[in-house]
Amino acid sequence: INPDNLLAAMWQRTRYPNGGSLTGATSGLYRSTNGGDNWTALGPANGLPNSATTPVGRIGVSISRSNPNVAYTLFNNASTYLGFFKTTNGGLNWTNANPNGGLQSGFSTFSWYFGNVRVHPTDPNIVYVLDYEIMKSTNSGTSWINQTTGDIHVDNHALAFKPGDPNVIIEGNDGGIYNSTNSGSNWTKVAALPFTQYYEIGLDKTNPQ
């Protein structure tokens, strides 16, 4: 593992009370080989979308812990799926990691809201993608399984593996927190958590108090 090799996703977005923009030319994936002192923008020459000509929104990226030369990145166009890519040489070159198109079945029309990728800590061929559904591949994206069964809420934002036992997963979505003990095949909701979600707060312009 070389800590000087880094990948970072940048997302150009502007939000106003009545609209905004969720894509931009500076959205993209960047690579550093010297611990972040210098960065190189990755694009079509590396096998990735060109944000100067294609609307690129939020980007997810995840590096394999067991083989750091392997990483996956997820691109969306602020509405839905744009592309899913894999590198085996630390981010220099990328190839289509969804060749059969199965990943799109887990997406909705507001993918700027998600964009998360997680690689299994000991097997770089197992990868999870979080969007409206949770999609899982055990063969680097050749085929996909929908892990959002009837016992879990949709709109998925977070996923972490238990250290030492990656079959145990904790997952966060708009319905709360869920646990799985079999790599996401089944889920159990964590009940009665002492908090709620404030989705929007408004202020009166004429009386901000």
Side-chain angles (χ1 to χ4, degrees), residues 22 40 54 66 81-82 85 97 115 122 127 130 170 182 188 197:
L22 298 171
T40 300
T54 302
S66 58
Y81 174 89
L82 181 60
F85 306 91
T122 61
V127 58
L130 308 183
I170 184 169
N182 54 12
T188 301
Q197 178 184 24

Side-chain angles (χ1 to χ4, degrees), residues 189-206:
K189 182 177 174 62
V190 178
L193 295 172
F195 57 79
T196 189
Q197 178 184 24
Y198 291 92
Y199 200 83
E200 183 177 1
I201 296 176
L203 296 177
D204 185 339
K205 291 182 180 180
T206 62

Side-chain angles (χ1 to χ4, degrees), residues 57-139:
R58 185 171 182 168
I59 300 169
V61 61
S62 183
I63 300 173
S64 167
R65 183 180 300 176
S66 58
N67 183 358
N69 285 322
V70 173
Y72 297 86
T73 186
L74 173 69
F75 280 65
N76 73 72
N77 61 8
S79 176
T80 189
Y81 174 89
L82 181 60
F84 185 66
F85 306 91
K86 178 183 179 180
T87 179
T88 58
N89 60 5
L92 182 60
N93 302 106
W94 299 81
T95 57
N96 181 10
N98 179 37
N100 298 317
L103 181 56
Q104 290 95 307
S105 65
F107 282 62
S108 186
T109 57
F110 50 101
S111 291
W112 63 270
Y113 204 52
F114 308 105
N116 283 298
V117 183
R118 298 289 183 269
V119 185
H120 191 280
T122 61
D123 188 340
N125 297 309
I126 300 177
V127 58
Y128 295 77
V129 171
L130 308 183
D131 199 272
Y132 182 73
E133 314 276 8
I134 305 172
M135 302 298 289
K136 175 186 176 183
S137 176
T138 59
N139 50 23

Side-chain angles (χ1 to χ4, degrees), residues 145-157:
I145 305 167
N146 190 332
Q147 299 285 272
T148 313
T149 57
D151 50 2
I152 186 172
H153 203 281
V154 294
D155 290 4
N156 298 280
H157 301 279

Side-chain angles (χ1 to χ4, degrees), residues 17-31:
N18 60 345
S21 175
L22 298 171
T23 64
T26 60
S27 294
L29 194 65
Y30 294 78
R31 179 175 184 251

Side-chain angles (χ1 to χ4, degrees), residues 1-6 32-35 68-69:
I1 298 175
N2 186 348
D4 287 334
N5 293 336
L6 303 171
S32 175
T33 58
N34 56 11
N69 285 322

